[in-house]
Amino acid sequence: MFFSYKRSISCFVVFFSLFKISAQELQEQEGSKLIVDLKKIVAGDKILSMPVFKKKYITLSNQNDESAVNKSNQEVFNDRWDTVRFNPYWDTSVSFPFELKFRDENFSSPITRKMVVTSRYGWRRGRPHRGIDIDLQVGDTVKTILDGKVRYVGYYSGFGNTVIVRHYNGLETVYAHLSKILVKENDLVKKGNVIGKGGVSGNARGSHLHLEVRYQGKSINPEYVFEFNEDVEIRSDVVMVTKKWATPRYHRSTRKSTIVVHKTLEDISLIKEQQQKVYTVKKGDTLYRIANKYGLVISEICKANAIKHNSVLKIGQQIIIN
Protein backbone atom coordinates (compact mmCIF):
# COMPACT_ATOMS: atom_id res chain seq x y z
CA MET A 1 0.00 0.00 0.00
CA PHE A 2 2.88 2.33 0.85
CA PHE A 3 4.37 1.58 -2.59
CA SER A 4 1.05 2.38 -4.28
CA TYR A 5 0.75 5.67 -2.38
CA LYS A 6 4.32 6.65 -3.29
CA ARG A 7 3.73 5.82 -6.97
CA SER A 8 0.56 7.96 -6.96
CA ILE A 9 2.47 10.88 -5.49
CA SER A 10 5.16 10.51 -8.16
CA CYS A 11 2.56 10.49 -10.94
CA PHE A 12 0.92 13.53 -9.37
CA VAL A 13 4.28 15.38 -9.30
CA VAL A 14 5.05 14.49 -12.92
CA PHE A 15 1.55 15.55 -14.06
CA PHE A 16 1.67 18.98 -12.44
CA SER A 17 5.27 19.52 -13.49
CA LEU A 18 4.27 18.98 -17.12
CA PHE A 19 1.16 21.11 -16.61
CA LYS A 20 3.30 23.90 -15.22
CA ILE A 21 5.70 23.73 -18.18
CA SER A 22 2.82 23.75 -20.68
CA ALA A 23 1.26 26.75 -18.95
CA GLN A 24 4.54 28.64 -19.00
CA GLU A 25 5.07 27.85 -22.68
CA LEU A 26 1.54 29.00 -23.47
CA GLN A 27 2.10 32.24 -21.62
CA GLU A 28 5.36 32.86 -23.50
CA GLN A 29 3.78 32.05 -26.87
CA GLU A 30 0.77 34.32 -26.35
CA GLY A 31 2.80 37.09 -24.78
CA SER A 32 -0.29 38.06 -22.78
CA LYS A 33 -1.72 37.83 -19.29
CA LEU A 34 -3.30 34.41 -19.55
CA ILE A 35 -2.04 33.43 -16.08
CA VAL A 36 -3.38 35.72 -13.37
CA ASP A 37 -2.07 33.87 -10.29
CA LEU A 38 0.01 30.94 -9.05
CA LYS A 39 -1.43 28.64 -6.41
CA LYS A 40 1.00 26.69 -4.15
CA ILE A 41 0.34 22.93 -3.92
CA VAL A 42 2.23 20.42 -1.73
CA ALA A 43 2.88 17.11 -3.50
CA GLY A 44 4.89 14.65 -1.43
CA ASP A 45 8.15 16.35 -0.53
CA LYS A 46 7.82 19.01 -3.25
CA ILE A 47 5.97 22.35 -3.52
CA LEU A 48 4.48 23.06 -6.94
CA SER A 49 3.06 26.27 -8.38
CA MET A 50 -0.34 25.70 -10.01
CA PRO A 51 -1.22 28.39 -12.63
CA VAL A 52 -4.65 30.05 -12.49
CA PHE A 53 -6.02 31.18 -15.85
CA LYS A 54 -8.51 33.84 -16.83
CA LYS A 55 -11.96 32.32 -17.23
CA LYS A 56 -12.67 33.94 -20.58
CA TYR A 57 -10.11 31.67 -22.27
CA ILE A 58 -12.11 28.52 -21.59
CA THR A 59 -15.45 29.35 -23.21
CA LEU A 60 -16.22 26.29 -25.29
CA SER A 61 -19.41 27.68 -26.85
CA ASN A 62 -17.57 30.68 -28.31
CA GLN A 63 -14.97 28.40 -29.85
CA ASN A 64 -17.69 26.27 -31.41
CA ASP A 65 -19.51 29.33 -32.75
CA GLU A 66 -16.32 30.65 -34.31
CA SER A 67 -15.61 27.26 -35.90
CA ALA A 68 -19.11 27.17 -37.36
CA VAL A 69 -18.69 30.65 -38.84
CA ASN A 70 -15.30 29.79 -40.28
CA LYS A 71 -16.70 26.60 -41.80
CA SER A 72 -19.59 28.53 -43.34
CA ASN A 73 -17.23 31.13 -44.80
CA GLN A 74 -14.98 28.40 -46.16
CA GLU A 75 -17.91 26.77 -47.98
CA VAL A 76 -18.89 30.09 -49.57
CA PHE A 77 -15.27 30.86 -50.40
CA ASN A 78 -14.67 27.52 -52.13
CA ASP A 79 -18.04 27.35 -53.91
CA ARG A 80 -17.56 26.85 -57.67
CA TRP A 81 -13.88 27.71 -57.58
CA ASP A 82 -13.08 28.00 -61.29
CA THR A 83 -9.88 29.54 -62.69
CA VAL A 84 -10.99 29.19 -66.32
CA ARG A 85 -14.41 30.82 -66.58
CA PHE A 86 -14.96 34.53 -65.89
CA ASN A 87 -18.32 33.76 -64.28
CA PRO A 88 -18.72 30.21 -62.91
CA TYR A 89 -22.25 31.10 -61.71
CA TRP A 90 -23.60 31.70 -65.23
CA ASP A 91 -26.30 29.03 -64.82
CA THR A 92 -27.56 30.09 -61.37
CA SER A 93 -29.54 32.97 -59.89
CA VAL A 94 -29.34 34.80 -56.56
CA SER A 95 -32.28 35.11 -54.18
CA PHE A 96 -32.86 38.63 -52.86
CA PRO A 97 -32.21 40.01 -50.38
CA PHE A 98 -28.93 38.36 -49.43
CA GLU A 99 -26.50 39.19 -46.64
CA LEU A 100 -22.83 40.14 -46.79
CA LYS A 101 -20.65 40.25 -43.68
CA PHE A 102 -17.34 42.08 -43.38
CA ARG A 103 -14.65 41.73 -40.73
CA ASP A 104 -12.77 44.82 -41.95
CA GLU A 105 -13.81 48.42 -41.34
CA ASN A 106 -11.78 49.80 -44.24
CA PHE A 107 -10.64 48.66 -47.65
CA SER A 108 -7.53 49.57 -49.59
CA SER A 109 -7.77 52.07 -52.42
CA PRO A 110 -7.24 50.18 -55.71
CA ILE A 111 -4.99 52.99 -56.99
CA THR A 112 -2.20 55.10 -55.50
CA ARG A 113 -3.55 58.46 -56.64
CA LYS A 114 -6.74 60.18 -55.46
CA MET A 115 -9.80 58.18 -56.48
CA VAL A 116 -11.99 59.93 -59.06
CA VAL A 117 -15.03 58.01 -60.30
CA THR A 118 -15.60 58.93 -63.94
CA SER A 119 -18.51 56.59 -64.65
CA ARG A 120 -20.82 54.92 -62.17
CA TYR A 121 -22.77 51.69 -61.86
CA GLY A 122 -25.99 51.97 -63.83
CA TRP A 123 -27.60 52.46 -67.23
CA ARG A 124 -25.15 53.95 -69.74
CA ARG A 125 -25.74 54.66 -73.41
CA GLY A 126 -28.59 52.15 -73.55
CA ARG A 127 -26.58 49.38 -71.90
CA PRO A 128 -25.90 48.23 -68.32
CA HIS A 129 -22.60 49.36 -66.80
CA ARG A 130 -21.99 46.81 -64.04
CA GLY A 131 -19.12 48.53 -62.24
CA ILE A 132 -17.47 51.88 -61.71
CA ASP A 133 -14.64 53.48 -63.67
CA ILE A 134 -11.79 55.04 -61.68
CA ASP A 135 -9.41 57.43 -63.39
CA LEU A 136 -5.75 56.46 -63.73
CA GLN A 137 -2.82 56.64 -66.14
CA VAL A 138 -1.38 53.75 -68.13
CA GLY A 139 1.19 52.02 -65.96
CA ASP A 140 -0.30 53.14 -62.64
CA THR A 141 -0.26 50.53 -59.88
CA VAL A 142 -3.52 48.62 -59.30
CA LYS A 143 -4.10 46.95 -55.92
CA THR A 144 -6.62 44.54 -54.48
CA ILE A 145 -9.05 46.21 -52.08
CA LEU A 146 -9.45 43.28 -49.61
CA ASP A 147 -7.66 40.09 -48.57
CA GLY A 148 -8.44 37.18 -50.83
CA LYS A 149 -7.32 34.67 -53.42
CA VAL A 150 -6.92 35.21 -57.15
CA ARG A 151 -9.56 33.14 -58.92
CA TYR A 152 -9.28 34.32 -62.53
CA VAL A 153 -6.51 35.85 -64.63
CA GLY A 154 -6.78 36.43 -68.35
CA TYR A 155 -7.97 38.46 -71.31
CA TYR A 156 -11.74 38.68 -71.31
CA SER A 157 -13.79 40.15 -74.15
CA GLY A 158 -14.55 43.83 -73.53
CA PHE A 159 -12.70 43.80 -70.20
CA GLY A 160 -9.24 43.28 -71.65
CA ASN A 161 -6.59 42.04 -69.22
CA THR A 162 -8.55 41.12 -66.10
CA VAL A 163 -7.94 39.88 -62.57
CA ILE A 164 -10.72 38.54 -60.32
CA VAL A 165 -10.09 38.17 -56.59
CA ARG A 166 -12.44 36.23 -54.34
CA HIS A 167 -12.66 37.40 -50.73
CA TYR A 168 -13.38 35.61 -47.43
CA ASN A 169 -17.15 36.34 -47.52
CA GLY A 170 -17.65 35.05 -51.08
CA LEU A 171 -17.57 38.53 -52.60
CA GLU A 172 -15.48 38.95 -55.74
CA THR A 173 -13.82 42.07 -57.11
CA VAL A 174 -13.03 42.45 -60.81
CA TYR A 175 -10.13 44.62 -62.04
CA ALA A 176 -10.31 45.25 -65.81
CA HIS A 177 -8.54 47.08 -68.68
CA LEU A 178 -5.11 46.35 -67.17
CA SER A 179 -1.94 46.86 -69.23
CA LYS A 180 -0.08 44.24 -67.23
CA ILE A 181 -1.03 41.43 -64.84
CA LEU A 182 1.33 40.73 -61.93
CA VAL A 183 -0.41 37.78 -60.23
CA LYS A 184 -1.51 34.29 -61.20
CA GLU A 185 -4.43 32.01 -60.39
CA ASN A 186 -4.63 30.75 -56.78
CA ASP A 187 -2.25 33.44 -55.46
CA LEU A 188 -3.14 34.59 -51.94
CA VAL A 189 -3.24 38.39 -51.68
CA LYS A 190 -3.60 40.90 -48.86
CA LYS A 191 -5.51 44.13 -49.25
CA GLY A 192 -3.19 46.70 -50.78
CA ASN A 193 -1.10 44.09 -52.63
CA VAL A 194 -0.21 45.02 -56.21
CA ILE A 195 -1.98 42.83 -58.77
CA GLY A 196 -1.34 44.71 -62.01
CA LYS A 197 -0.83 47.94 -63.94
CA GLY A 198 -3.55 50.24 -65.25
CA GLY A 199 -4.20 50.48 -68.97
CA VAL A 200 -6.69 50.62 -71.84
CA SER A 201 -6.93 46.96 -72.87
CA GLY A 202 -10.28 45.66 -74.07
CA ASN A 203 -13.15 48.00 -74.88
CA ALA A 204 -11.92 51.07 -73.00
CA ARG A 205 -12.37 54.73 -73.87
CA GLY A 206 -9.23 56.18 -72.34
CA SER A 207 -7.15 54.80 -69.51
CA HIS A 208 -9.11 53.85 -66.40
CA LEU A 209 -9.72 51.00 -63.98
CA HIS A 210 -13.05 49.26 -64.42
CA LEU A 211 -13.89 47.85 -60.98
CA GLU A 212 -16.78 45.47 -60.38
CA VAL A 213 -18.12 43.94 -57.18
CA ARG A 214 -19.88 40.60 -57.60
CA TYR A 215 -21.48 37.94 -55.44
CA GLN A 216 -22.12 34.52 -56.98
CA GLY A 217 -21.96 36.10 -60.42
CA LYS A 218 -24.37 38.94 -59.64
CA SER A 219 -22.99 42.47 -59.92
CA ILE A 220 -23.54 44.87 -57.01
CA ASN A 221 -23.30 48.65 -57.09
CA PRO A 222 -19.78 49.09 -55.60
CA GLU A 223 -20.74 52.42 -54.00
CA TYR A 224 -23.46 50.70 -51.98
CA VAL A 225 -20.82 48.64 -50.17
CA PHE A 226 -17.71 50.85 -50.26
CA GLU A 227 -17.14 54.59 -49.83
CA PHE A 228 -14.76 55.62 -52.60
CA ASN A 229 -13.18 58.62 -50.91
CA GLU A 230 -10.16 59.31 -48.72
CA ASP A 231 -11.76 57.43 -45.79
CA VAL A 232 -12.01 54.17 -47.81
CA GLU A 233 -14.63 52.82 -45.42
CA ILE A 234 -16.77 49.71 -45.72
CA ARG A 235 -20.24 51.09 -45.08
CA SER A 236 -21.28 48.42 -42.57
CA ASP A 237 -20.10 45.13 -41.09
CA VAL A 238 -23.42 43.65 -42.24
CA VAL A 239 -25.02 44.65 -45.56
CA MET A 240 -28.32 43.39 -46.93
CA VAL A 241 -28.28 43.51 -50.73
CA THR A 242 -31.66 44.04 -52.40
CA LYS A 243 -32.52 43.73 -56.08
CA LYS A 244 -32.24 47.50 -56.47
CA TRP A 245 -28.54 47.49 -55.59
CA ALA A 246 -27.78 44.59 -57.93
CA THR A 247 -29.62 45.88 -61.03
CA PRO A 248 -27.93 48.54 -63.21
CA ARG A 249 -31.28 49.67 -64.68
CA TYR A 250 -32.22 51.21 -61.31
CA HIS A 251 -29.23 53.57 -61.48
CA ARG A 252 -27.63 56.10 -63.81
CA SER A 253 -23.94 56.04 -64.67
CA THR A 254 -23.81 59.84 -64.76
CA ARG A 255 -24.83 60.45 -61.15
CA LYS A 256 -24.30 58.86 -57.77
CA SER A 257 -27.36 57.11 -56.38
CA THR A 258 -28.59 58.11 -52.93
CA ILE A 259 -27.05 55.52 -50.61
CA VAL A 260 -29.17 54.10 -47.80
CA VAL A 261 -27.60 50.92 -46.44
CA HIS A 262 -29.92 48.08 -45.40
CA LYS A 263 -28.55 46.16 -42.41
CA THR A 264 -31.59 44.01 -41.55
CA LEU A 265 -34.78 42.78 -43.19
CA GLU A 266 -36.66 45.27 -41.00
CA ASP A 267 -34.61 48.10 -42.52
CA ILE A 268 -35.65 47.02 -46.00
CA SER A 269 -39.37 47.02 -45.14
CA LEU A 270 -39.20 50.38 -43.36
CA ILE A 271 -37.22 52.14 -46.09
CA LYS A 272 -39.52 50.76 -48.78
CA GLU A 273 -42.54 52.25 -47.02
CA GLN A 274 -40.80 55.61 -46.57
CA GLN A 275 -39.73 55.78 -50.21
CA GLN A 276 -43.18 55.13 -51.65
CA LYS A 277 -44.34 58.25 -53.48
CA VAL A 278 -47.27 59.34 -55.61
CA TYR A 279 -46.59 61.13 -58.88
CA THR A 280 -49.20 63.21 -60.67
CA VAL A 281 -49.11 62.76 -64.45
CA LYS A 282 -48.44 65.94 -66.43
CA LYS A 283 -48.85 66.80 -70.09
CA GLY A 284 -46.37 64.89 -72.25
CA ASP A 285 -45.60 62.26 -69.60
CA THR A 286 -45.05 58.64 -70.61
CA LEU A 287 -44.21 55.58 -68.55
CA TYR A 288 -40.71 55.65 -70.03
CA ARG A 289 -40.18 59.29 -69.06
CA ILE A 290 -41.46 58.73 -65.50
CA ALA A 291 -39.34 55.58 -65.08
CA ASN A 292 -36.25 57.38 -66.34
CA LYS A 293 -36.87 60.34 -64.01
CA TYR A 294 -36.98 58.17 -60.89
CA GLY A 295 -34.43 55.57 -61.98
CA LEU A 296 -37.03 52.79 -62.15
CA VAL A 297 -38.01 50.00 -64.50
CA ILE A 298 -41.31 50.40 -66.36
CA SER A 299 -42.43 46.92 -65.31
CA GLU A 300 -42.08 47.91 -61.63
CA ILE A 301 -44.33 50.95 -62.14
CA CYS A 302 -46.86 48.82 -63.98
CA LYS A 303 -46.87 46.20 -61.22
CA ALA A 304 -47.29 48.79 -58.44
CA ASN A 305 -50.18 50.47 -60.26
CA ALA A 306 -51.79 47.40 -61.86
CA ILE A 307 -51.49 48.88 -65.35
CA LYS A 308 -50.06 47.64 -68.67
CA HIS A 309 -47.01 48.82 -70.59
CA ASN A 310 -49.18 50.29 -73.31
CA SER A 311 -51.64 52.00 -70.96
CA VAL A 312 -52.51 55.58 -71.92
CA LEU A 313 -51.76 58.00 -69.09
CA LYS A 314 -54.15 60.81 -68.32
CA ILE A 315 -53.21 64.25 -67.07
CA GLY A 316 -53.80 64.37 -63.32
CA GLN A 317 -53.60 60.59 -62.93
CA GLN A 318 -51.92 59.41 -59.71
CA ILE A 319 -49.00 56.99 -60.20
CA ILE A 320 -47.37 55.13 -57.29
CA ILE A 321 -43.59 55.39 -57.44
CA ASN A 322 -41.72 52.78 -55.34
Side-chain angles (χ1 to χ4, degrees):
M1 183 172 178
F2 174 76
F3 175 77
S4 177
Y5 172 77
K6 187 175 181 180
R7 185 172 59 182
S8 298
I9 290 296
S10 299
C11 292
F12 182 81
V13 170
V14 171
F15 171 78
F16 279 105
S17 297
L18 292 174
F19 189 83
K20 179 183 176 182
I21 294 171
S22 299
Q24 289 174 341
E25 290 177 347
L26 179 60
Q27 188 178 27
E28 291 174 358
Q29 290 172 4
E30 296 295 330
S32 61
K33 298 178 180 179
L34 290 178
I35 301 175
V36 295
D37 196 9
L38 292 174
K39 186 176 180 180
K40 301 295 183 180
I41 296 178
V42 178
D45 58 348
K46 295 187 178 182
I47 299 177
L48 302 177
S49 296
M50 177 69 177
V52 179
F53 294 88
K54 285 184 178 181
K55 290 184 178 180
K56 69 176 183 178
Y57 287 95
I58 50 174
T59 307
L60 187 58
S61 59
N62 288 345
Q63 293 175 351
N64 289 339
D65 290 344
E66 184 178 352
S67 298
V69 171
N70 290 338
K71 183 178 179 180
S72 176
N73 285 343
Q74 199 66 32
E75 290 177 354
V76 172
F77 183 83
N78 292 326
D79 185 42
R80 295 204 179 197
W81 186 265
D82 189 333
T83 60
V84 177
R85 286 182 292 185
F86 179 90
N87 178 18
Y89 297 95
W90 63 272
D91 60 343
T92 64
S93 59
V94 178
S95 298
F96 294 99
F98 59 85
E99 182 183 73
L100 291 176
K101 290 185 178 181
F102 294 90
R103 63 191 181 200
D104 298 81
E105 294 182 355
N106 301 87
F107 66 98
S108 173
S109 171
I111 61 174
T112 54
R113 63 179 67 232
K114 180 180 179 181
M115 284 185 289
V116 177
V117 179
T118 57
S119 185
R120 296 189 143 83
Y121 181 94
W123 209 245
R124 185 177 71 176
R125 297 190 292 271
R127 299 176 62 184
H129 185 231
R130 303 185 188 279
I132 61 172
D133 293 342
I134 300 175
D135 188 39
L136 53 64
Q137 297 297 318
V138 174
D140 279 358
T141 296
V142 174
K143 303 176 291 183
T144 181
I145 66 175
L146 291 172
D147 296 354
K149 187 176 181 180
V150 178
R151 184 184 63 78
Y152 176 90
V153 169
Y155 191 97
Y156 188 70
S157 178
F159 287 69
N161 294 320
T162 303
V163 172
I164 299 178
V165 179
R166 182 173 293 184
H167 308 290
Y168 50 84
N169 56 1
L171 200 69
E172 292 190 333
T173 47
V174 180
Y175 308 82
H177 303 318
L178 304 176
S179 61
K180 189 174 183 180
I181 295 174
L182 300 175
V183 290
K184 62 183 183 300
E185 296 94 339
N186 297 312
D187 277 353
L188 293 175
V189 291
K190 293 289 186 180
K191 65 179 180 180
N193 282 174
V194 177
I195 58 174
K197 299 289 185 179
V200 290
S201 61
N203 184 20
R205 297 187 178 186
S207 59
H208 66 272
L209 171 67
H210 176 77
L211 175 68
E212 291 192 8
V213 173
R214 291 173 171 252
Y215 183 76
Q216 295 187 356
K218 191 68 174 178
S219 68
I220 302 170
N221 188 332
E223 293 184 286
Y224 177 61
V225 182
F226 305 104
E227 291 192 67
F228 291 92
N229 55 30
E230 61 276 5
D231 295 326
V232 289
E233 291 181 340
I234 298 174
R235 293 189 184 275
S236 176
D237 59 341
V238 178
V239 176
M240 297 296 296
V241 180
T242 62
K243 187 176 181 181
K244 174 183 177 181
W245 295 106
T247 307
R249 194 179 287 271
Y250 287 117
H251 309 273
R252 293 293 173 268
S253 65
T254 54
R255 65 172 183 261
K256 183 179 179 179
S257 299
T258 301
I259 307 295
V260 180
V261 178
H262 312 305
K263 300 180 181 180
T264 64
L265 292 175
E266 290 73 19
D267 285 348
I268 296 173
S269 300
L270 179 61
I271 292 173
K272 187 174 182 179
E273 291 176 4
Q274 293 174 341
Q275 289 182 336
Q276 190 174 76
K277 300 177 181 178
V278 176
Y279 176 79
T280 302
V281 176
K282 301 175 183 177
K283 184 178 180 180
D285 277 339
T286 62
L287 285 175
Y288 176 79
R289 181 175 295 180
I290 295 172
N292 187 59
K293 180 178 180 179
Y294 289 97
L296 300 174
V297 181
I298 293 177
S299 60
E300 294 292 331
I301 297 178
C302 292
K303 182 178 180 180
N305 293 273
I307 59 178
K308 297 181 179 180
H309 285 74
N310 58 356
S311 295
V312 178
L313 302 180
K314 298 179 181 179
I315 297 175
Q317 182 178 346
Q318 301 285 297
I319 298 293
I320 296 174
I321 305 297
N322 288 322

